[in-house]
Amino acid sequence: MTETQEVRGDSGPEAAALVASRVVDVPDFPKPGILFKDLMPLFSDGEVFRQVIDEIVAYHGPDSFDVVAGVEARGFVVAAAIAYATGKGVVPVRKAGKLPRRTHSVSYALEYGEATLEVHEDAFAAGERVLVVDDVLATGGTALAALELVERAGGAVAGFTVLMELSFLDGRARLAPRTVHALLTV
Ligand code: AMP
């Protein structure tokens, strides 16, 4: 019997397969019942990491955004690389209590727990176009909070990208009508 494994994503099957080749499933982390998608092997492979960043830039187009916002902590890795590749700046969306100056703050439910995200009040110039990135889209709570923070701080969301989306958790539907770009959808 032949088993065909469907590999899909918004930048096509090749980009999806590239991400899939560097994801390690970790059962019961950080809590029993959670299948954690570990993308560290993707980050540590220079060739694959560069291709993945290039795919994201190609999808959005380097002229479609002015700055990149990354969600703590794995989103920082992706955001910084996109920012450097395109000559843009990077803005960290951080967990509560980490930013030193006045912040906007949004609390939300996670697939495993609860959290608060913050961004500096003066993080963006008015109307600045912001590409928001994270590693994994699960329930969408984190993404919604990050997008709301960007807008509260005066930015305009130019796009939202994740390396990988867990489609069974319906995060994409929760973010509608905003569009989601996921390199790999499982
Ligand atoms: P959510 O708010 O449910 O969409 O969760 C997304 C955030 O939690 C992202 O910042 C992910 O890094 C992390 N996350 C949630 N679920 C997982 C998972 N199964 N594997 C890896 N990271 C996850």
Side-chain angles (χ1 to χ4, degrees):
M1 199 173 80
T2 313
E3 229 180 75
T4 44
Q5 207 191 336
E6 197 192 340
V7 186
R8 63 191 173 101
D10 297 316
S11 285
E14 279 179 25
L18 197 62
V19 174
S21 73
R22 293 294 184 280
V23 180
V24 176
D25 285 353
V26 185
D28 299 320
F29 183 87
K31 283 186 176 177
I34 300 293
L35 183 62
F36 191 83
K37 301 290 183 178
D38 180 18
L39 286 155
M40 299 305 150
L42 186 154
F43 293 152
S44 64
D45 184 321
E47 185 56 35
V48 172
F49 185 51
R50 173 177 280 178
Q51 285 181 49
V52 161
I53 297 302
D54 289 348
E55 288 286 357
I56 296 171
V57 172
Y59 179 85
H60 293 283
D63 299 328
S64 71
F65 57 93
D66 304 310
V67 68
V68 190
V71 182
E72 185 164 358
R74 293 178 294 270
F76 293 173
V77 178
V78 183
I82 296 169
Y84 184 79
T86 56
K88 311 288 164 77
V90 63
V91 170
V93 176
R94 299 214 62 180
K95 291 173 180 161
K98 302 283 188 182
L99 289 168
R101 293 181 290 104
R102 285 172 61 93
T103 59
H104 292 292
S105 171
V106 173
S107 295
Y108 63 101
L110 270 179
E111 186 188 1
Y112 43 80
E114 213 175 78
T116 298
L117 286 180
E118 296 180 341
V119 73
H120 272 142
E121 281 183 359
D122 63 356
F124 309 107
E128 202 171 19
R129 299 168 305 160
V130 187
L131 176 62
V132 183
V133 299
D134 201 0
D135 64 337
V136 174
L137 175 67
T139 65
T142 305
L144 262 184
L147 296 173
E148 189 181 330
L149 280 173
V150 166
E151 287 172 352
R152 270 209 224 165
V157 175
F160 174 66
T161 281
V162 288
L163 302 183
M164 164 165 209
E165 166 194 25
L166 308 179
S167 60
F168 57 93
L169 292 171
D170 279 337
R172 188 181 286 255
R174 203 167 156 201
L175 292 177
R178 291 184 168 110
T179 52
V180 172
H181 170 238
L183 285 171
L184 171 64
T185 297
V186 296

